Amino acid sequence: MEAPKLLLLILLIPCDLFIGKSLGDGVTHEEAKELRDEVREMFYHAFNGYMNHAFPRDELRPLSCGGEDTLGGYALTLIDSLDTLALLGDRERFTASVEWIGKNLRFDINKTVSIFETTIRILGGLISAHLIASDHNTGMRIPSYDDELLHLAEDLARRMLPAFDTPTGIPFGSVNLLHGVDENESKITSTAGGGTLTLEFGILSHLTNDPIFEQVAKNAVRGLWARRSKINLVGAHIDVFSGEWTQKDAGIGTSIDSFYEYLLKAYLLFGDEEYLFIFQEAYKAAMKYLFNDPWYVEVNMNSAALVWPLFNSLQAFWPGLQVLAGDIDPAIRTHAAFFSVWRRYGFTPEGFNLATLSVQQGQKSYPLRPELIESTYWLYKATRDPRYLDAGREILASLQYGARCTCGYCHISDVEFHKQEDHMESFFLAETVKYLWLLFDLAAGPDNLVENGPYKYIFSTEGHLLPATPQISLVREHCSYFGAFCRNSNLRLKTHSPENAQTNSSGSQTRHADSSFLSRSSYQSSSPVSGLKGLCPGLTYEQRFGISFTSPVDPSSEDENSSQRETTEVQSHSVVLNSNPNPEVPLSGPHNDHDNGPARVPQEESPSSKQKR
């Protein structure tokens, strides 16, 4: 596979290319506007319900019209909703919300919180809103704003740093914001929990000029990747002290999903080719061992033997990620398969067994997840195929008729009977509604920050808007732009004048990469030449980044594995085209050459949070 084609496939597609044509089966240009307005009303029904009945508690209880604290007791839903308010152009409420948070939010509290959830929801929400509120180019700048959200984000991140003090660099799953890591804290964390921090922590380093945040997040990724199997798969849970995998099931869904997502997005946002290399290797392995066209299964990370054939709802982000990676054809087929599950029940259950073609026992709920809608938006943006507007319309109808309740939108505890549950996760306003609104706004003729704003945006795994500004994207120099800090003084350098190196194409000032940043890493085998910046052609991956891997390998396969690591190209995976011309892929079970017996019945997943752990 070629390097990601984000600019080609996504950013350069004219937004008004298909305006004026029929957009779907009955979805005209005018109806797209009506659907967009309906989604806006959906957002305010839930947001006003939260503000009137739950604020400043974390989340709304939409049936009883009350509130509950689910993370830290600091207005989680409001923070998670900030950039959605900005996206909708609601200057008044965005301003009032930012001002309230700046004056009232504090993190010096005796609360033990999830590193993962706090990072993607709170830290990401604060950073995204800061970047919008502080920049007049966004059209939402707040004149009285004085970086209050950035200061809060930095304080919060520093309170999470003790979690990274482990032998592997992979953080504990939780930390107390006042006292650090509890002595009885579990040493087991998920791959997603340790590998989904790079965007928020990386941006914070760039905004504060302190490399520590980017460093710990990157070392966590390195710690996970160094312990991959010899076939480049990672498991679901790992001991952060010993580095031993405690759950060796490899997949693209629960407990692993956003590890893959942040590898690609960190490259797209920061231009760091190390993330691209790891993504390419990881993606190639996923497509070889996990992809059973059009479904994905879970296998043993070492042998690739089938563990269970299960579609879990978090897998539905994958087609959207494939769009960003430029692998459109399998994304189309997989999205059609996943959407067929939605059409069967009106929602996607947490687990759908591909062997029995039925809802997995204990995984019958739909907690208002955004992942299928996210992929629908990206596929429509890339292809302008009207089927995705039809899908969006069906999803909207399901939410309106099945999940809407007194003060907001309710979890569905059983997709077969559409029973409502008195809970509404903050990500419903941060992601689910956001992607639906973006889908229909794109069809109606977009006029929003993402499609028409001054920057190109990367979405975090919580749907927060992270702009590719010069300060963020060019602050770390790399070979494809300014050149690299060479690791070997014997290498021939093509130097650049300091005058030219200090400014980017728009004239904005950017600083040199901190030469001590990587040298402080335990993975760094050689130090960069101090102050020597230039182009280093022909470096291998190990030479460029100075990384040695600790993954145990079979000596007989060492040469083969080494040659695989040195390549930076993802080879095309083989796919079996579906001979059925009907774009609606029927429900059918997967095939797997490694199936050595009956599939293990998956255990019930916790219904809370985003199901990463």
Side-chain angles (χ1 to χ4, degrees):
M1 186 186 73
E2 297 179 1
K5 305 187 184 90
L6 179 72
L7 292 178
L8 177 61
L9 293 173
I10 302 301
L11 302 181
L12 298 184
I13 296 175
C15 292
D16 58 350
L17 186 61
F18 294 86
I19 292 177
K21 299 180 180 179
S22 176
L23 301 173
D25 295 339
V27 181
T28 63
H29 184 233
E30 289 304 316
E31 186 178 359
K33 290 182 178 180
E34 293 174 0
L35 292 170
R36 176 190 61 189
D37 293 342
E38 184 177 349
V39 176
R40 178 189 290 269
E41 188 278 333
M42 170 189 286
F43 171 83
Y44 281 110
H45 173 64
F47 181 78
N48 291 338
Y50 167 76
M51 295 301 295
N52 293 334
H53 302 286
F55 176 78
R57 304 192 74 178
D58 280 340
E59 291 179 325
L60 172 68
R61 296 179 65 87
L63 272 177
S64 58
C65 296
E68 58 182 332
D69 288 330
T70 54
L71 188 58
Y74 34 57
L76 167 63
T77 296
L78 180 63
I79 297 170
D80 228 1
S81 303
L82 288 174
D83 62 348
T84 308
L85 288 168
L87 182 65
L88 295 175
D90 193 337
R91 176 183 297 276
E92 180 180 355
R93 297 197 192 195
F94 177 72
T95 299
S97 299
V98 168
E99 290 178 346
W100 184 91
I101 291 169
K103 293 176 182 177
N104 295 281
L105 194 63
R106 296 293 179 270
F107 294 115
D108 53 345
I109 54 178
N110 186 17
K111 294 279 188 179
T112 297
V113 300
S114 161
I115 293 293
F116 170 77
E117 299 291 355
T118 302
T119 296
I120 67 170
R121 301 201 199 196
I122 301 296
L123 188 62
L126 292 172
I127 289 173
S128 178
H130 160 74
L131 291 167
I132 294 170
S134 61
D135 189 345
H136 66 85
N137 291 321
T138 64
M140 297 296 291
R141 183 178 181 275
I142 301 173
S144 61
Y145 180 69
D146 192 24
D147 294 346
E148 290 90 350
L149 302 192
L150 178 60
H151 299 321
L152 285 168
E154 182 178 2
D155 176 58
L156 176 60
R158 291 196 187 282
R159 294 178 183 278
M160 291 192 284
L161 286 179
F164 294 85
D165 187 15
T166 66
T168 62
I170 305 167
F172 286 95
S174 299
V175 67
N176 186 284
L177 295 178
L178 199 59
H179 304 298
V181 179
D182 186 86
E183 62 180 6
N184 297 317
E185 178 62 36
S186 171
K187 294 181 176 63
I188 308 302
T189 194
S190 70
T191 298
T196 311
L197 311 169
T198 49
L199 295 186
E200 293 85 355
F201 274 65
I203 290 178
L204 189 59
S205 275
H206 298 174
L207 295 178
T208 61
N209 293 320
D210 187 341
I212 186 62
F213 307 112
E214 186 173 35
Q215 180 180 356
V216 297
K218 193 170 192 177
N219 282 345
V221 172
R222 288 168 166 169
L224 289 164
W225 184 242
R227 290 163 177 84
R228 70 197 183 278
S229 70
K230 63 182 180 181
I231 57 175
N232 285 342
L233 293 177
V234 293
H237 290 90
I238 193 170
D239 187 308
V240 301
F241 267 62
S242 69
E244 295 295 321
W245 294 99
T246 59
Q247 185 178 354
K248 298 180 180 180
D249 302 343
I252 63 166
T254 304
S255 298
I256 303 177
D257 52 352
S258 49
F259 170 75
Y260 290 99
E261 178 184 1
Y262 269 38
L263 289 174
L264 178 58
K265 290 183 176 180
Y267 166 71
L268 294 174
L269 190 59
F270 303 130
D272 188 330
E273 294 178 4
E274 181 176 2
Y275 290 120
L276 175 60
F277 173 86
I278 298 175
F279 173 77
Q280 290 175 322
E281 294 293 293
Y283 181 81
K284 179 171 61 176
M287 296 306 291
K288 181 176 181 180
Y289 298 110
L290 308 178
F291 185 45
N292 286 259
D293 197 350
W295 305 94
Y296 289 81
V297 296
E298 296 188 11
V299 304
N300 180 277
M301 63 179 287
N302 295 312
S303 66
L306 181 68
V307 174
W308 66 57
L310 185 76
F311 160 63
N312 71 68
S313 58
L314 284 172
Q315 293 178 356
F317 88 101
W318 189 259
L321 184 67
Q322 290 181 305
V323 170
L324 292 181
D327 205 5
I328 302 294
D329 288 343
I332 291 172
R333 297 194 299 277
T334 294
H335 178 277
F338 291 173
F339 185 61
S340 70
V341 178
W342 182 289
R343 299 193 77 178
R344 171 179 280 204
Y345 299 105
F347 302 101
T348 47
E350 290 292 76
F352 180 80
N353 193 302
L354 300 175
T356 63
L357 298 180
S358 62
V359 177
Q360 180 64 41
Q361 185 66 31
Q363 298 186 31
K364 296 183 177 183
S365 65
Y366 170 68
L368 305 177
R369 291 208 184 280
E371 284 78 15
L372 184 62
I373 305 168
E374 176 185 1
S375 288
T376 302
Y377 162 69
W378 281 113
L379 277 165
Y380 180 70
K381 189 169 185 177
T383 68
R384 295 308 200 277
D385 191 318
R387 81 175 77 173
Y388 300 113
L389 291 178
D390 296 335
R393 181 172 55 183
E394 289 192 39
I395 290 171
L396 175 58
S398 295
L399 291 170
Q400 291 288 58
Y401 291 106
R404 190 179 179 105
C405 49
T406 308
C407 296
Y409 287 80
C410 291
H411 281 201
I412 303 300
S413 60
D414 188 326
V415 298
E416 292 180 304
F417 299 99
H418 288 196
K419 182 179 178 181
Q420 293 183 342
E421 181 182 340
D422 194 14
H423 188 59
M424 188 182 82
E425 293 269 11
S426 67
F427 60 69
F428 177 73
L429 295 176
E431 299 182 83
T432 307
V433 175
K434 180 181 289 168
Y435 286 120
L436 260 183
W437 188 86
L438 283 168
L439 171 67
F440 295 123
D441 189 61
L442 185 62
D447 183 18
N448 65 68
L449 194 61
V450 170
E451 310 295 348
N452 303 98
Y455 313 114
K456 303 306 177 185
Y457 284 86
I458 298 297
F459 291 86
S460 76
T461 196
E462 187 73 4
H464 291 308
L465 308 180
L466 305 177
T469 65
Q471 182 183 16
I472 293 171
S473 292
L474 304 183
V475 69
R476 293 298 304 278
E477 301 170 43
H478 52 90
C479 280
S480 65
Y481 196 81
F482 281 137
F485 282 90
C486 290
R487 305 304 187 201
N488 188 328
S489 59
N490 295 326
L491 289 169
R492 179 175 57 87
L493 301 181
K494 296 180 181 179
T495 58
H496 300 265
S497 65
E499 294 80 5
N500 292 336
Q502 289 292 337
T503 57
N504 59 41
S505 59
S506 63
S508 301
Q509 294 296 314
T510 183
R511 61 181 173 88
H512 285 305
D514 180 359
S515 61
S516 63
F517 182 86
L518 284 176
S519 63
R520 288 197 293 269
S521 166
S522 61
Y523 295 90
Q524 182 66 27
S525 61
S526 61
S527 299
V529 179
S530 178
L532 191 58
K533 185 171 69 66
L535 182 63
C536 309
L539 298 185
T540 66
Y541 173 75
E542 288 81 359
Q543 288 173 328
R544 182 174 297 171
F545 299 110
I547 293 177
S548 60
F549 296 100
T550 61
S551 176
V553 296
D554 184 342
S556 64
S557 61
E558 178 65 30
D559 294 339
E560 179 183 354
N561 289 337
S562 298
S563 63
Q564 289 176 352
R565 291 175 193 143
E566 291 179 1
T567 181
T568 57
E569 293 292 327
V570 171
Q571 300 175 1
S572 299
H573 60 271
S574 59
V575 296
V576 179
L577 296 179
N578 193 335
S579 60
N580 185 352
N582 188 343
E584 297 296 334
V585 176
L587 296 171
S588 60
H591 59 273
N592 192 306
D593 295 336
H594 303 285
D595 189 355
N596 298 321
R600 177 160 60 88
V601 177
Q603 301 299 310
E604 178 178 0
E605 296 289 344
S606 168
S608 63
S609 193
K610 286 179 70 68
Q611 306 279 0
K612 304 294 183 182
R613 281 185 284 283

